[in-house]
Amino acid sequence: MSLFHGLSAFPITPTDEQGIVNTDEVMILAKHLSAHKVDSIGLLGSTGIYAYLVRTERKRAIRAAIQAVGGKTPLIVGIGSLRTDDAQNLARDAAAEGADGLLLAPVSYTPLTQEEAFQHYKAVAEVTDLPLCIYNNPSTTHFTFSQELLGRLADLTTVQAVKMPPPKEGDVAAELKQMRESPVGQIAIGYSGDWIAAEALLAGCDSWFSVLGGFLPKIARALVDAVAVEDPITVEQHQQNLLPLWELFREFGSLRVAYAAANHLKLSNALPPRPILPLAECDQNRVVAALASLDQ
């Protein structure tokens, strides 16, 4: 199985309000995910607050995760940054620390053109030999990839995958079929947006980039395995059980919910860096209730 296939679990990066990484808790989370046989760990994704961490803190997080997994689970590291030279340096850092792959989002303040995004990816992809995944996350980056751009990027040697968001229109199966029949089909195609996980897996996507997997890897693994053995009844049962959590993800964003969940499960005792605030106590209680329903 290649790096960008299967269950890729995206944990929080435990920090304090000033964005100082708690490396002990990074190791706890990484060991927890590795022990539950996720296919890869997506460190410093959006749930991993990459955009809020300075370069030195990102390096500390990578080093801790690498030490924790001891080569047992591949590590995909997010390297998104506003400037191309910064993203290049982050790619070099990840490679030097021993990461297995890279995840790059087109972070921007001034909206990027399609050509600017292409040149950005091309420049970053050239500084290491690590396989790179395109991070398509328009709700956060406010950048929309055209199919033409995705096809051009798929031709770059080290670009091996794309992480897709839930489709705005139509269903996952139709979008996936269209992409498979285009130049994008030469690379692995995975999906995020956990509430569409069952749909995407059943449609035959290559990977599930999962926030749930970052704190409940056992349940995420069970869902992936149920699809693999073609057990739609069990898939639907998992989907129904997870609906309260999916509703919270969509209402508050998965980052805030993941912090509350990881803390409740004693995997961390972290605060998101300001200006992000923890969920209000009443909403944290809703997260706890959703988790309790899964235990039952």
Side-chain angles (χ1 to χ4, degrees), residues 14-92:
T15 64
D16 62 15
E17 290 179 299
Q18 286 73 47
I20 304 301
V21 171
N22 185 323
T23 54
D24 289 339
E25 292 184 354
V26 170
M27 294 182 71
I28 288 170
L29 277 163
K31 287 179 180 178
H32 178 63
L33 303 184
S34 183
H36 284 87
K37 307 300 182 184
V38 301
D39 295 305
S40 64
I41 296 172
L43 192 73
L44 301 176
S46 293
T47 306
I49 58 170
Y50 74 92
Y52 298 91
L53 300 180
V54 298
R55 182 179 177 184
T56 54
E57 293 304 311
R58 295 197 199 194
K59 289 175 69 174
R60 292 179 66 237
I62 300 168
R63 190 171 300 142
I66 291 287
Q67 181 181 345
V69 301
K72 295 178 181 178
T73 305
L75 197 71
I76 301 167
V77 174
I79 56 167
S81 189
L82 278 170
R83 285 194 354 222
T84 299
D85 58 336
D86 285 339
Q88 289 175 315
N89 285 332
L90 293 168
R92 294 184 183 103

Side-chain angles (χ1 to χ4, degrees), residues 46-260:
S46 293
T47 306
I49 58 170
Y50 74 92
Y52 298 91
L53 300 180
V54 298
R55 182 179 177 184
T56 54
E57 293 304 311
R58 295 197 199 194
K59 289 175 69 174
R60 292 179 66 237
I62 300 168
R63 190 171 300 142
I66 291 287
Q67 181 181 345
V69 301
K72 295 178 181 178
T73 305
L75 197 71
I76 301 167
V77 174
I79 56 167
S81 189
L82 278 170
R83 285 194 354 222
T84 299
D85 58 336
D86 285 339
Q88 289 175 315
N89 285 332
L90 293 168
R92 294 184 183 103
D93 289 346
E97 296 295 340
D100 299 284
L102 305 173
L103 176 68
L104 179 59
V107 182
S108 62
Y109 181 79
T110 298
L112 298 177
T113 67
Q114 299 289 298
E115 184 61 27
E116 286 169 341
F118 175 78
Q119 294 299 334
H120 177 66
Y121 274 83
K122 181 175 182 293
V124 175
E126 289 172 346
V127 300
T128 82
D129 292 329
L130 290 180
L132 185 148
C133 179
I134 303 162
Y135 190 179
N136 184 1
N137 188 8
S139 64
T140 298
T141 63
H142 307 294
F143 177 82
T144 300
F145 286 87
S146 67
Q147 286 297 305
E148 179 186 6
L149 175 57
L150 288 174
R152 291 179 69 194
L153 292 173
D155 284 334
L156 298 178
T157 303
T158 57
V159 171
Q160 294 188 9
V162 59
K163 179 178 186 285
M164 293 293 293
K168 282 189 174 181
E169 299 179 3
D171 58 29
V172 174
E175 179 180 81
L176 187 58
K177 181 177 184 295
Q178 185 272 326
M179 293 182 72
R180 295 275 195 223
E181 294 172 351
S182 77
V184 186
Q186 65 189 298
I187 61 176
I189 302 171
Y191 278 86
S192 57
D194 280 19
W195 52 93
I196 66 156
E199 180 185 358
L201 290 166
L202 289 168
C205 70
D206 294 304
S207 54
W208 173 22
F209 298 98
S210 173
V211 175
L212 178 76
F215 58 86
L216 286 178
K218 184 177 180 180
I219 294 177
R221 178 82 266 167
L223 177 56
V224 172
D225 290 346
V227 172
V229 298
E230 300 182 354
D231 182 359
I233 294 175
T234 300
V235 172
E236 181 59 24
Q237 287 174 341
H238 284 304
Q239 179 70 351
Q240 290 302 313
N241 292 340
L242 287 162
L243 282 178
L245 208 52
W246 297 162
E247 291 172 3
L248 289 164
F249 277 14
R250 299 185 76 169
E251 183 175 350
F252 297 108
S254 56
L255 184 156
R256 296 176 180 86
V257 176
Y259 264 84

